[in-house]
Amino acid sequence: MDQDLKQEKIVEEARLFADKAIRPYAAEHDEKGRLPKNLIKKMAEKGFLSTSFPKEYGGLELDPVYYGLFTEEIGKACCSTRALVTVNTSLVGETMLRWARKDQKEKWLRDIASGRKIGAFALSEPEVGSNAQGVMTSYKESGSHYILNGRKKWITFGDLADFFIVIATGERGITAFIVEREFEGLKSHPIKGMLAGRASHIAVVELDDVAVPKENVLGGVGNGFTYIVNTALDHGRYSIAWGGVAVAQEALESMVAYSRQRSQFGKKIHEFQLVQGMIGDAVTKVHAARALCIRAGEMRREKAPQAIMETAIAKYFTSMVAMEVAANAVQIHGGNGCCSDYPVERLFREAKILEIVEGTSQIQQELIARFGLRKYYKKSKKS
Amino acid sequence: MSRTQKIREFIESHLVISNNEKVLKDDDNIFELGFVDSLFALQLVSFIEKEFEIELENNDLDLKNFSSINSIVSFLENKLGR
């Protein structure tokens, strides 16, 4: 079968799965504050926890463009389920695929694919957000192990994960470690009261003299920031970019449906030009957002060095569009949009998170500006 | 275009703007001298892989391999031959 056709079939399967097994329960997950293990199991059985992995590690071999389209389908139905894909497949899985040793890949990637193990990425700390190089969690060499101490915060799926990629600092520079939940001294506590991502098992992870075997270093000692964090955030941004398209598309569909059903002043509200203005803007921006993501995906498929920057641009734009379209979807729903009876209320909350995770919009703006200041500088010719 | 020229061209197109009027020497440590930003190492990895058709692995990641034009050229000579 043609490769594109195979991939399209997987995305279509994801759409049907999302419609049947995810979307109808998204509000319930949000309310209960957890993703049921049964859903994770079903996703693993379908290969949806490893769609971008090669076959040898149990993956479905979606290329970056189709992986993006897959992410959109899951994200439209439920942001927390999409967050599982973002963290487990993109941040953890794809980073390990890129930089783990062969034996580490053998040990972990098949387990991720089969759902036997869920991974989480532990970078942020109570005092460390955007300045990722400032991590305070420490490591110290001790015989055949490293001893880790510190506190990680806002760790998505941190309360559910079976293992973590922990970023820590020490004598030989920032380093990434694969830390298993069962290692003595590791504890997690769920964070309650989240604006969104309520079913994403967001947690504080405490490391109290956790002894990590030396073979669990990921990507080499001292390479934790340059290669592991940057690779993980790049994959994370790509996934979040599609998550933004997902929220915006779902919100657009909701505003269209509602405006065609709802009547005021004796006519359907879509007939009002000011409502049409919001819908017209939403359609345009959703299309633009998806086009940016597809372009970034094509560049990733080509392994172009500029893909990192195009991904940052896509993430910045799509998260902004998600926020704007979700806000307008609430606006069109009026009072109903302010109530959890309608999904737009949740989409509005979820959109905000996308402007913060994997690098805030302001960090993206700085990155993009620096890129633009180089790329579009025409040196004047001196006479 | 020689390997050195290709690498120089790529690095020069990514210099941080506070340094883009400076002349980059072949043995300048681009990271220590602040010629490039923190994302550059990853972009450089992608460039090297695509341009020279190799796949870098875990044990190639030592930043010393990529710290100057000369070190990148010598790393590539070890990997690919002259």
Side-chain angles (χ1 to χ4, degrees):
Chain A
M1 196 190 294
D2 170 75
Q3 194 56 28
D4 279 344
L5 202 59
K6 266 191 206 167
Q7 298 191 91
E8 277 167 24
K9 275 193 75 173
I10 293 167
V11 174
E12 176 61 19
E13 205 184 326
R15 181 181 306 131
L16 296 173
F17 180 81
D19 285 345
K20 194 175 161 200
I22 303 178
R23 186 177 282 98
Y25 309 102
E28 189 183 327
H29 302 332
D30 182 67
E31 201 182 317
K32 289 187 174 167
R34 61 180 175 80
L35 276 194
K37 289 210 165 160
N38 194 35
L39 171 61
I40 299 172
K41 185 170 171 269
K42 278 188 199 164
M43 287 186 66
E45 282 166 3
K46 291 201 159 286
F48 290 166
L49 298 183
S50 54
T51 47
S52 59
F53 292 7
K55 276 208 175 84
E56 65 174 311
Y57 298 118
L60 299 180
E61 298 194 318
L62 291 188
D63 73 24
V65 173
Y66 283 100
Y67 177 52
L69 293 168
F70 162 81
T71 304
E72 182 185 345
E73 293 303 337
I74 302 297
K76 278 181 70 186
C78 171
C79 280
S80 286
T81 311
R82 192 269 310 143
L84 175 67
V85 172
T86 298
V87 170
N88 192 51
T89 311
S90 289
L91 278 158
V92 173
E94 293 193 302
T95 302
M96 292 183 90
L97 199 55
R98 186 68 182 90
W99 296 126
R101 296 188 313 268
K102 182 84 179 155
D103 61 298
Q104 290 173 326
K105 290 182 191 177
E106 295 285 348
K107 178 170 179 185
W108 294 104
L109 293 179
R110 281 194 165 277
D111 278 352
I112 291 176
S114 66
R116 279 192 296 272
K117 304 271 186 193
I118 299 294
F121 193 76
L123 170 64
S124 300
E125 297 179 359
E127 303 301 326
V128 179
S130 296
N131 179 20
Q133 293 195 68
V135 288
M136 290 187 272
T137 295
S138 65
Y139 68 86
K140 210 170 182 182
E141 200 169 349
S142 172
S144 60
H145 288 71
Y146 287 98
I147 308 299
L148 269 61
N149 278 290
R151 200 160 187 253
K152 297 292 184 180
K153 196 172 183 187
W154 313 120
I155 309 307
T156 305
F157 285 92
D159 205 38
L160 188 80
D162 300 289
F163 74 100
F164 303 82
I165 295 178
V166 174
I167 308 300
T169 191
E171 260 186 10
R172 293 169 64 194
I174 295 175
T175 301
F177 299 88
I178 302 168
V179 181
E180 298 185 42
R181 176 176 290 279
E182 62 194 35
F183 288 176
E184 206 177 322
L186 187 144
K187 280 183 201 154
S188 68
H189 314 282
I191 301 175
K192 298 293 179 193
M194 294 296 299
L195 170 72
R198 291 176 180 171
S200 303
H201 299 262
I202 297 170
V204 168
V205 177
E206 287 180 10
L207 299 121
D208 184 13
D209 281 335
V210 178
V212 181
K214 283 188 172 172
E215 64 260 27
N216 282 28
V217 168
L218 177 64
V221 177
N223 291 331
F225 183 79
T226 307
Y227 298 107
I228 303 302
V229 171
N230 279 329
T231 299
L233 292 183
D234 174 50
H235 285 298
R237 281 183 197 128
Y238 184 62
S239 183
I240 295 294
W242 281 99
V245 174
V247 167
Q249 178 70 41
E250 189 77 358
L252 168 61
E253 289 173 19
S254 294
M255 67 163 76
V256 164
Y258 191 82
S259 69
R260 290 180 62 145
Q261 288 154 11
R262 175 82 167 174
S263 295
Q264 291 290 286
F265 303 104
K267 55 183 180 179
K268 300 291 184 192
I269 63 170
H270 71 80
E271 295 176 57
F272 293 100
Q273 285 188 331
L274 292 177
V275 171
Q276 288 178 8
M278 286 191 270
I279 293 172
D281 281 358
V283 171
T284 306
K285 287 174 183 174
V286 169
H287 285 209
R290 188 178 291 102
L292 274 180
C293 284
I294 289 174
R295 179 70 189 129
E298 286 167 348
M299 291 177 95
R300 297 174 81 84
R301 185 163 60 191
E302 294 159 15
K303 299 186 190 303
Q306 311 92 291
I308 292 172
M309 201 46 65
E310 294 300 322
T311 298
I313 292 169
K315 190 271 178 186
Y316 169 57
F317 187 74
T318 66
S319 56
M320 190 164 48
V321 167
M323 190 71 245
E324 188 180 321
V325 176
N328 280 338
V330 169
Q331 193 68 21
I332 285 175
H333 280 68
N336 284 329
C338 301
C339 171
S340 61
D341 288 350
Y342 286 79
V344 290
E345 179 269 344
R346 192 178 66 254
L347 294 171
F348 176 69
R349 291 186 283 107
E350 298 286 3
K352 187 67 227 169
I353 302 292
L354 303 179
E355 293 189 310
I356 294 169
V357 292
E358 322 309 359
T360 62
S361 292
Q362 290 66 40
I363 292 287
Q364 307 307 327
Q365 283 175 303
E366 284 188 16
L367 272 177
I368 297 162
R370 288 203 295 268
F371 163 74
L373 285 163
R374 283 193 306 264
K375 186 170 174 67
Y376 298 112
Y377 178 53
K378 306 288 179 209
K379 288 185 184 173
S380 59
K381 286 176 189 164
K382 287 177 185 165
S383 53
Chain B
M1 202 189 286
S2 71
R3 277 181 197 159
T4 306
Q5 283 171 311
K6 283 179 183 171
I7 293 160
R8 168 177 287 283
E9 200 170 89
F10 183 74
I11 295 173
E12 283 181 343
S13 69
H14 287 78
L15 294 180
V16 296
I17 57 167
S18 55
N19 273 328
N20 72 350
E21 300 298 337
K22 289 184 186 168
V23 179
L24 175 66
K25 292 191 262 323
D26 285 353
D27 57 357
D28 277 342
N29 187 316
I30 56 172
F31 297 107
E32 283 178 9
L33 294 172
F35 277 103
V36 290
D37 63 24
S38 62
L39 267 186
F40 180 71
L42 216 52
Q43 291 170 307
L44 183 61
V45 164
S46 298
F47 167 75
I48 290 171
E49 290 188 324
K50 194 170 166 68
E51 184 64 40
F52 302 107
E53 296 176 347
I54 54 171
E55 191 162 335
L56 301 184
E57 289 167 14
N58 185 298
N59 51 11
D60 295 321
L61 288 184
D62 192 338
L63 214 51
K64 283 181 202 150
N65 289 335
F66 311 115
S67 60
S68 69
I69 294 173
N70 281 343
S71 63
I72 300 167
V73 171
S74 126
F75 169 76
L76 287 171
E77 279 172 2
N78 285 335
K79 274 266 183 196
L80 302 166
R82 284 178 186 272

